[in-house]
Amino acid sequence: GKPEGSPEMLKWKDRGTTKNLQEVILGRCYNYVMARRSELGDMDCLKIWESLKQAFIYKNPCNITPEDYQPLMELASHPVPCNKSLFWSKTNDLAHRYTKSNQNFFTLEDTLLGYMADRVSWCGDPSAPGINYESCPKRSECESNPVSVFWKLASKMFAETACGVVQVMLNGSIEAGAFKSSSIFGSIEIFNLNPDKVSAVRIWLMHDIGGPQSESCSGYSIKRLKGILEERNFQITCEDNYRPVQLLQCVHNPDHTDCRLCT
Ligand code: N1C
């Protein structure tokens, strides 16, 4: 046969299912649940793994639907306390570094579902063994792949259950604009915030230390975002370079003028 991993035998363009997926998911699940037993109550990690597996194994990885994940969502989702939800777009690293240092905020990856799935890949195949460890479809190959459908659904539920004041960390150093309507934040989360439960949205617009400030709170894409949110009856504020987050960026740039205590 062909040498293992030779490119011409790959069916799809994205990386395949994470090796030892079962152990990774189970390990993360026990780890998360154990640390938060008091708030979470009982969670059955073995059942959670089984329901994730049933969502995709032996299935065509381009035909996954939200219904495939319904059992998983019912078993593993839990709400975040009011005022503590943190959304993000194009600030993946910074947002998660921030919630690790400030236990007062939760991103989706700080909930059980997001924690288990973070940086993990999975997809099925109709022929045995039902899981494709070689390759998985990219979003550009098919939208309804197991990973994309999962994140869309988990993001939708994360937004639906948010309450009080919510925050979103955006990237002001992106040339195309900090707010993108085609992002998960722009296309799913903002439309699933419930105006009866969420009072206000706080935008934290961060720019890279020493990087370009392509957009500020008065920028064009932020105006569009404000427009959408105001129309949905949310109060909205925007802060450029929210200091508690900027101080985290400063850990890696301590000598930069933006990081000096007195400016
Ligand atoms: O498309 P995005 O950002 O706006 O999505 C981010 C937004 C966050 O607020 C999260 O709640 O949507 C949620 N979310 C994740 O938590 C997440 N973890 C990993 C969405 N996507 C997530 N991923 C992967 O990153 C996933 O594969 C998705 O397609 C990207 C989105 O990153 P982005 O464009 O920076």
Side-chain angles (χ1 to χ4, degrees):
K2 286 182 188 146
E4 208 187 323
S6 80
E8 67 265 42
M9 63 194 273
L10 296 181
K11 203 182 232 169
W12 308 107
K13 289 189 183 141
D14 223 340
R15 69 197 161 113
T17 301
T18 304
K19 303 282 175 298
N20 306 112
L21 181 69
Q22 172 170 348
E23 290 79 2
V24 170
I25 296 293
L26 274 175
R28 288 180 173 189
C29 183
Y30 287 125
N31 195 33
Y32 189 97
V33 169
M34 158 115 118
R36 297 168 183 78
R37 258 184 336 261
S38 52
E39 309 100 87
L40 276 184
D42 272 347
M43 288 272 177
D44 187 337
C45 288
L46 210 45
K47 254 191 177 165
I48 286 172
W49 158 251
E50 285 297 329
S51 62
L52 171 63
K53 187 169 82 176
Q54 291 312 321
F56 74 94
I57 61 159
Y58 284 106
K59 293 183 185 172
N60 174 344
C62 286
N63 269 331
I64 301 301
T65 64
E67 288 68 41
D68 290 317
Y69 285 113
Q70 214 49 55
L72 172 65
M73 298 291 151
E74 274 161 31
L75 284 171
S77 63
H78 60 91
V80 161
C82 288
N83 307 316
K84 296 191 172 182
S85 300
L86 173 60
F87 299 90
W88 53 268
S89 193
K90 305 288 181 277
T91 52
N92 192 329
D93 250 46
L94 189 58
H96 296 115
R97 268 202 283 144
Y98 184 62
T99 58
K100 278 193 188 73
S101 71
N102 186 333
Q103 306 282 334
N104 243 330
F105 293 105
F106 293 80
T107 64
L108 177 53
E109 287 72 15
D110 299 303
T111 70
L112 176 58
L113 273 172
Y115 183 83
M116 289 189 298
D118 196 18
R119 285 156 219 244
V120 164
S121 172
W122 64 91
C123 69
D125 191 278
S127 53
I131 297 184
N132 191 339
Y133 289 98
E134 303 299 321
S135 66
C136 288
K138 262 196 151 73
R139 196 136 80 117
S140 53
E141 292 176 282
C142 57
E143 283 258 4
S144 297
N145 68 68
V147 172
S148 296
V149 172
F150 171 87
W151 284 115
K152 282 192 195 167
L153 190 57
S155 303
K156 177 171 177 276
M157 295 187 47
F158 183 62
E160 278 171 353
T161 55
C163 48
V165 177
V166 303
Q167 8 283 319
V168 57
M169 192 188 296
L170 300 179
N171 189 337
S173 288
I174 290 183
E175 213 167 317
F179 171 67
K180 222 176 139 201
S181 325
S182 61
S183 65
I184 291 189
F185 174 70
S187 64
I188 295 176
E189 289 177 329
I190 54 175
F191 297 107
N192 283 286
L193 292 173
N194 182 345
D196 298 328
K197 295 200 296 188
V198 172
S199 54
V201 179
R202 284 195 189 129
I203 303 169
W204 297 338
L205 185 54
M206 306 308 300
H207 79 269
D208 302 339
I209 301 284
Q213 175 128 29
S214 310
E215 189 170 16
S216 71
C217 280
S218 53
Y220 181 74
S221 86
I222 297 295
K223 282 205 175 115
R224 266 196 304 126
L225 172 57
K226 282 183 172 171
I228 295 171
L229 289 171
E230 274 160 8
E231 195 168 327
R232 302 202 59 227
N233 284 320
F234 299 110
Q235 286 181 46
I236 171 142
T237 60
C238 180
E239 191 166 335
D240 284 302
N241 296 314
Y242 177 62
R243 192 68 173 163
V245 175
Q246 191 178 51
L247 289 173
L248 255 183
Q249 297 176 296
C250 285
V251 170
H252 302 288
N253 302 267
D255 298 326
H256 196 275
T257 47
D258 290 356
C259 295
R260 296 224 299 256
L261 278 175
C262 306
T263 46

